[in-house]
Amino acid sequence: HRGGRESNSELEARIRSYELAYRMQAEAPEAVDLSAEPAPIKSLYGLDAEHTATFGRQCLMARRLVERGVRFVQLYHGAGSKWDSHTKMEANHSKLCAAVDLPIVGLITDLKQRGMLDETLVIWGGEFGRTPMSEKGDGRDHNPTGFTMWMAGGGVRGGHVVGATDDLGLYAVEDKLHVHDLHATVMRLLGIDHTELIYRHKGRPERVDLNEGEAHTDLIERFSEVS
């Protein structure tokens, strides 16, 4: 069918899309089958405990996907849960933290022991922080003005802290990083100069950082200019 229609780029793109879908379906069953993983690895991710097993499986599956060449993997935790704790924050967050801490440590440990951490950037974060003042007696409201994210591997300087909030934890007051700075830094770690990453939108050239943001090179272990 493609013969004689080589100039039709949309047809070629559709064929490639179908072929990619087939390859994904053919490879996926083996990639997500955790039965072959040894018991110590499952234990490392917390699969042998009920409260860590769900997120532990996600983290172990992420390692298997990265191991097989998947470039970007995104994990979610707490769908329908109480991370957004406007009430009962201490009770909710205590359970949620206990569910993710061990699997996260397991993932980073496993990546490192397999020699994969240097080339795998792990980013942890959420939508926003929580306010230091009480809401409804035992909850906290949204706080976009001061919150924490962390990164590991992928060329990031280990054990390095950037910035600080005020004494109450409400506002970032030292070495503040805008989300556009974070995006620019992540792209630099991926080997991309964010100032050159341009796409067309409504006939105009646009940048993903809305023409703002700078790579925070102090976070990068081995900084070099991107050519």
Side-chain angles (χ1 to χ4, degrees), residues 154-165:
V156 172
R157 289 179 61 188
H160 185 60
V161 178
V162 174
T165 58

Side-chain angles (χ1 to χ4, degrees), residues 107-144:
L107 173 61
I108 295 174
T109 301
D110 201 15
L111 289 171
K112 186 173 182 178
Q113 69 187 9
R114 292 170 187 269
M116 298 169 60
L117 188 59
D118 287 347
E119 295 184 354
T120 305
L121 178 63
V122 181
I123 304 173
W124 181 96
E127 295 176 286
F128 31 63
R130 313 303 300 188
T131 55
M133 66 284 287
S134 172
E135 182 186 15
K136 300 178 183 178
D138 56 0
R140 297 288 189 271
D141 202 352
H142 303 168
N143 181 24

Side-chain angles (χ1 to χ4, degrees), residues 2-17:
R2 185 173 55 186
R5 300 180 174 88
E6 289 80 7
S7 62
N8 189 335
S9 60
E10 292 186 7
L11 174 61
E12 175 64 20
R14 181 63 60 86
I15 292 172
R16 293 190 179 207
S17 177

Side-chain angles (χ1 to χ4, degrees), residues 17-226:
S17 177
Y18 288 158
E19 290 175 343
L20 174 61
Y22 166 75
R23 292 197 301 273
M24 291 173 65
Q25 292 179 47
E27 296 290 338
E30 186 277 333
V32 300
D33 181 8
L34 308 183
S35 61
E37 294 286 344
I41 293 296
K42 293 180 180 179
S43 179
L44 177 67
Y45 285 85
L47 269 63
D48 51 0
E50 183 178 356
H51 70 287
T52 54
T54 298
F55 194 64
R57 279 191 291 271
Q58 291 188 52
C59 289
L60 179 52
M61 198 175 298
R63 189 222 78 204
R64 291 175 63 86
L65 292 175
V66 171
E67 209 169 24
R68 286 158 176 76
V70 176
R71 294 183 178 182
F72 296 94
V73 180
Q74 187 167 4
L75 304 183
Y76 293 91
H77 179 265
S81 73
K82 299 297 183 180
W83 278 114
D84 196 10
S85 294
H86 294 278
T87 60
K88 300 180 181 178
M89 182 172 181
E90 184 175 357
N92 291 333
H93 279 207
S94 295
K95 293 178 181 178
L96 294 167
C97 289
V100 301
D101 282 354
L102 179 64
I104 290 171
V105 172
L107 173 61
I108 295 174
T109 301
D110 201 15
L111 289 171
K112 186 173 182 178
Q113 69 187 9
R114 292 170 187 269
M116 298 169 60
L117 188 59
D118 287 347
E119 295 184 354
T120 305
L121 178 63
V122 181
I123 304 173
W124 181 96
E127 295 176 286
F128 31 63
R130 313 303 300 188
T131 55
M133 66 284 287
S134 172
E135 182 186 15
K136 300 178 183 178
D138 56 0
R140 297 288 189 271
D141 202 352
H142 303 168
N143 181 24
T145 59
F147 59 99
T148 300
M149 299 181 69
W150 59 257
M151 297 188 288
V156 172
R157 289 179 61 188
H160 185 60
V161 178
V162 174
T165 58
D166 57 31
D167 291 341
L168 294 178
L170 180 59
Y171 293 102
V173 295
E174 179 182 315
D175 292 332
K176 293 186 287 186
L177 288 183
H178 192 277
V179 65
H180 294 154
D181 299 322
L182 177 67
H183 291 163
T185 304
V186 169
M187 283 190 278
R188 180 59 60 91
L189 287 163
L190 296 175
I192 301 170
D193 184 348
H194 71 286
T195 65
E196 298 296 327
L197 189 60
I198 297 172
Y199 63 98
R200 307 292 299 186
H201 179 64
K202 295 183 179 180
R204 297 181 57 184
E206 299 283 357
R207 288 195 352 214
V208 294
D209 59 1
L210 301 179
N211 298 315
E212 299 176 6
E214 295 182 2
H216 194 81
T217 56
D218 193 38
L219 282 172
I220 301 174
E221 186 176 43
R222 295 176 298 275
F223 175 74
S224 60
E225 292 293 337
V226 176

